[in-house]
Every structure is written in structure tokens, then in C-alpha cells.
Amino acid sequence: MNDKAVLKRQLESMAERLMAEVGKIGVEPLVMDYDNGGGQSGIRENPFYPAYEKLLSAYTKTLAAYESIAGGKDADIRSLDSIRAKLKVAK
């Protein structure tokens, strides 16, 4: 398998996972209660958001690498761009 094919497969896998998880953004709480059982309890950041953000960042970096190797906007990149457009996150 060449580099382009490997990156394309990685992009497809990441896009599938992002699309599966994006629906949770509206329902996952930003913070969660915790109790570690050792007398410490409180509120912490929901680990869903940093995990989703890391996956989205990896997807974006991989897409840039793929575009660099592909050398332009071929049909594969256009289809991946359509997926990326659905995954835009407000800053």
C-alpha cells in the first residue's frame, strides 16, 4: 500500500468515527461530577470533548498531508472535503 492509500484509509476511518461522535456534542455535559473514592470529589471536564478535539485535529492534519501527497484537488479530496465541511467546529 502506498502513502496516499494509507492516508486515504486513515482519513476514511477518522471521518467515520467523527461522524458517529458528532451527534453527542449537543448532549454530552461540559463538566461531570467525580468521586475518586478516596475522599476527593468535585467537578471535572468531560473527557469526551478533549478526545473529540484530538481526533478532529488528527483528521485535519492527515487531510493536509493527504492533499500534499495527492498534489491537488482530485475526486478523493473533494469527497473528503465534503465530510470535513460537515465537521466544522466553531472557534
Side-chain angles (χ1 to χ4, degrees), residues 34-50:
Y34 75 92
D35 183 348
N36 72 357
Q40 293 181 335
S41 62
I43 297 173
R44 68 180 175 109
E45 177 181 49
N46 185 338
F48 169 81
Y49 291 99

Side-chain angles (χ1 to χ4, degrees), residues 6-19 50-68 73 75-89:
V6 169
L7 287 176
K8 181 180 177 192
R9 181 63 196 126
Q10 292 300 315
L11 283 167
E12 291 168 348
S13 295
M14 286 187 272
E16 288 171 13
R17 186 58 188 256
L18 285 166
M19 294 302 288
Y52 184 86
E53 185 178 82
K54 287 177 186 177
L55 181 58
L56 184 58
S57 177
Y59 174 83
T60 302
K61 290 175 185 174
T62 305
L63 181 59
Y66 180 83
E67 288 174 343
S68 175
K73 293 278 186 179
D76 289 336
I77 293 173
R78 284 190 295 277
S79 70
L80 291 169
D81 278 342
S82 70
I83 294 169
R84 180 170 57 176
K86 294 176 188 173
L87 298 170
K88 291 212 178 204
V89 177

Side-chain angles (χ1 to χ4, degrees), residues 23-44:
K24 294 180 182 177
I25 289 175
V27 296
E28 284 286 330
L30 291 175
V31 294
M32 307 172 74
D33 293 331
Y34 75 92
D35 183 348
N36 72 357
Q40 293 181 335
S41 62
I43 297 173
R44 68 180 175 109

